[in-house]
Amino acid sequence: MTADGASGARKPVSVLFVCLGNICRSPMAEGVFRSITKSDTRVGSIDSAGTGAYHEGSPPDPRTMSVLEENGEHSYHHQARKVRNSDFKDFDYVLAMDSDNLLDLSRVQRRIVKNSGLHAAPAKVMLFGDFGGHEGEEVIDPYYGARDGFTIAYEQMTRFSKGFIEKVLQGGDVPTS
């Protein structure tokens, strides 16, 4: 019997990527992860959000989109949104881009658990960089920098996504944050 209670069938894993404003890092992570896992039936819902509502309703930063397009991802569309309480039950993994966002997400999750009377919220809140081979690795926010910061972020997202696939989808150990 599997985690979803069905014999022989495993529930697809759902992932939410989170940064501050949801226009640079987290939509890039979502775009990369969608591209890498597009035909993988082990993956269910994929989305991204921000801990702040600064850019709610806006498309990703043009530099994010140009880096995705340069790397073959031409069909990605997204509108920025803020993290919702329901995300902690709707997603199996909520993956933060840096320690500040991880702290914010952990606080929200604790508040949800406290107010709901549950022992724990279903989502695993973790640093995305923990899947890249270097525990605690963060994606520096490229928003105020030059375009090369977006290229570096893309390389990290690709490495982290492949690490997630290896550790979670292929049954390896999940890093602990």
Side-chain angles (χ1 to χ4, degrees), residues 10-76:
R10 185 173 176 186
K11 176 183 166 248
V13 173
S14 57
V15 183
L16 178 69
F17 299 97
V18 181
C19 67
L20 181 60
N22 192 219
I23 61 167
C24 295
R25 296 172 291 173
S26 58
M28 183 178 289
E30 178 190 354
V32 168
F33 195 76
R34 281 184 184 280
S35 179
I36 290 173
T37 63
K38 65 183 159 213
S39 61
D40 194 328
T41 59
R42 300 171 296 177
V43 178
S45 298
I46 306 167
D47 198 1
S48 64
T51 55
Y54 310 109
H55 304 284
E56 199 158 15
S58 297
D61 186 288
R63 295 167 292 179
T64 293
M65 294 306 297
S66 69
V67 169
L68 286 172
E69 289 168 2
E70 281 177 11
N71 288 280
E73 182 53 57
H74 300 282
S75 61
Y76 179 70

Side-chain angles (χ1 to χ4, degrees), residues 131-143:
F131 292 98
H134 307 287
E135 188 173 325
E137 185 174 355
E138 298 185 2
V139 181
I140 302 301
D141 192 346
Y143 184 73

Side-chain angles (χ1 to χ4, degrees), residues 24-166:
C24 295
R25 296 172 291 173
S26 58
M28 183 178 289
E30 178 190 354
V32 168
F33 195 76
R34 281 184 184 280
S35 179
I36 290 173
T37 63
K38 65 183 159 213
S39 61
D40 194 328
T41 59
R42 300 171 296 177
V43 178
S45 298
I46 306 167
D47 198 1
S48 64
T51 55
Y54 310 109
H55 304 284
E56 199 158 15
S58 297
D61 186 288
R63 295 167 292 179
T64 293
M65 294 306 297
S66 69
V67 169
L68 286 172
E69 289 168 2
E70 281 177 11
N71 288 280
E73 182 53 57
H74 300 282
S75 61
Y76 179 70
H77 301 284
H78 181 75
Q79 285 189 324
R81 71 173 182 87
K82 187 175 180 189
V83 170
R84 301 181 286 254
N85 288 351
S86 60
D87 290 333
F88 294 89
K89 69 174 178 54
D90 293 341
F91 290 92
D92 299 309
Y93 290 86
V94 177
L95 302 175
M97 298 297 119
D98 62 35
S99 59
D100 289 335
N101 288 297
L102 179 62
L103 182 61
D104 290 342
L105 291 166
S106 297
R107 285 180 186 146
V108 171
Q109 186 178 40
R110 280 194 304 275
R111 187 186 73 236
I112 292 168
V113 169
K114 180 180 177 184
N115 293 339
S116 69
L118 298 173
H119 293 291
K124 291 180 178 85
V125 176
M126 304 173 71
L127 192 63
F128 190 32
D130 285 346
F131 292 98
H134 307 287
E135 188 173 325
E137 185 174 355
E138 298 185 2
V139 181
I140 302 301
D141 192 346
Y143 184 73
Y144 293 105
R147 190 174 181 286
D148 66 331
F150 288 81
T151 301
I152 292 166
Y154 178 85
E155 292 165 358
Q156 287 180 297
M157 303 308 175
T158 301
R159 184 166 39 90
F160 300 168
S161 293
K162 289 177 180 177
F164 182 90
I165 291 165
E166 180 182 317

